[in-house]
């Protein structure tokens, strides 16, 4: 069994062949997926998908790139939707200093507000971090995010940073980049992070693993991520698949 902890099946790229994409995932053993909504339209689509498919779950939040657009009403709406029985986390949330749509101070405030909401709701959080590691870690510490924990999604930092995050009650989630030939940092992270603090994901339709790099990613390819981690850790694929699924179910409170 494989658990893809971060999919965007709510993306328009899947409008034409969603059922075929889901069938391909099931054929390779993907048993659970979390569909991530990060603004009004993607959250609405995520909720509709989890109501249609019993093996899909949702995480809802506000993406840092769009932080400047988030209103008090949006945050209240997320809180209201969080009562849905298939909403298992808040996010993705965090900081993204690569794109300049939202000023850093606004991103940070929106991030803090979502962490506080998650603590109130007792839900884990899914963290998006791009070019902002120092500030992400600082905010997680200042907001006592370890009380709820969560996921460092598509982790791209160092093994040392991974250790810091684990100490704050976060899981390290690896995706397609761990399969890239010259991706030294993700490979070292895969080797050093204990399996009981690791998750796997695709972030589809983005970041497709080798040999599909540059093409549309899909949940079936999470098997390639698990296989690469197994090779790097010199353990069986089954051990990686079973333990990362167990980790995800524990974090999300799924039986």
């Amino acid at each position: 069994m494989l658990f893809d902890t971060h999919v965007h099946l709510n993306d328009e790229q899947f409008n034409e062949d969603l059922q075929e994409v889901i069938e391909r995932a099931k054929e390779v053993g993907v048993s659970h997926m979390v569909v991530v909504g990060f603004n009004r339209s993607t959250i609405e689509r995520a909720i509709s998908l989890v109501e249609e498919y019993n093996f899909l779950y949702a995480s809802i939040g506000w993406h840092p790139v769009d932080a400047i657009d988030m209103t008090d009403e949006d945050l209240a709406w997320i809180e209201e939707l969080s009562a849905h029985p298939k909403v298992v986390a808040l996010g993705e949330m965090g900081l993204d200093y690569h794109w300049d749509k939202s000023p850093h101070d606004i991103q940070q405030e929106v991030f803090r507000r979502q962490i506080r909401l998650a603590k109130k709701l007792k839900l884990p959080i899914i963290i998006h971090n791009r070019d902002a590691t120092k500030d992400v870690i600082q905010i997680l510490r200042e907001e006592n995010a370890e009380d709820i924990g969560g996921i460092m999604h598509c982790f791209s930092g160092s093994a040392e940073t991974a250790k810091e995050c684990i100490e704050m009650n976060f899981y390290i989630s690896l995706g397609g980049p761990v399969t890239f030939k010259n991706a030294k940092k993700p490979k070292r992270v895969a080797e050093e992070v204990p399996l009981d603090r690791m998750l796997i994901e695709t972030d589809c339709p983005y970041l497709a693993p080798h040999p599909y790099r540059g093409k549309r990613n899909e949940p079936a390819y999470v098997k390639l991520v698990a296989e690469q981690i197994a090779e790097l850790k010199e353990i069986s694929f089954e051990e990686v698949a079973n333990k990362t699924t167990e980790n995800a179910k524990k974090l999300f409170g799924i039986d």
Side-chain angles (χ1 to χ4, degrees), residues 1-15:
M1 290 203 310
L2 292 159
F3 195 135
D4 189 342
T5 60
H6 201 110
V7 302
H8 296 286
L9 293 179
N10 44 352
D11 189 277
E12 291 176 355
Q13 290 189 51
F14 295 112
N15 284 356

Side-chain angles (χ1 to χ4, degrees), residues 34-65:
V34 171
V35 183
V36 179
F38 54 83
N39 58 23
R40 279 267 172 180
S41 60
T42 59
I43 289 171
E44 286 169 354
R45 178 67 174 143
I47 296 295
S48 69
L49 283 172
V50 302
E51 289 177 344
E52 186 176 351
Y53 296 96
N54 63 358
F55 49 87
L56 296 183
Y57 296 84
S59 179
I60 58 174
W62 211 265
H63 200 286
V65 170

Side-chain angles (χ1 to χ4, degrees), residues 145-202:
E146 69 273 8
D147 292 351
I148 43 168
I151 304 174
M152 305 307 292
H153 140 66
C154 210
F155 186 79
S156 60
S158 66
E160 292 74 23
T161 300
K163 187 181 177 193
E164 281 187 80
C165 296
I166 291 166
E167 287 169 355
M168 289 193 293
N169 195 25
F170 280 81
Y171 287 85
I172 304 300
S173 185
L174 296 175
V178 75
T179 70
F180 299 167
K181 285 187 170 62
N182 297 320
K184 291 177 182 174
K185 275 206 291 189
K187 290 183 192 298
R188 187 169 165 230
V189 166
E191 290 167 351
E192 297 201 15
V193 167
L195 193 57
D196 66 356
R197 297 307 297 179
M198 190 174 286
L199 298 170
I200 55 175
E201 64 170 271
T202 54

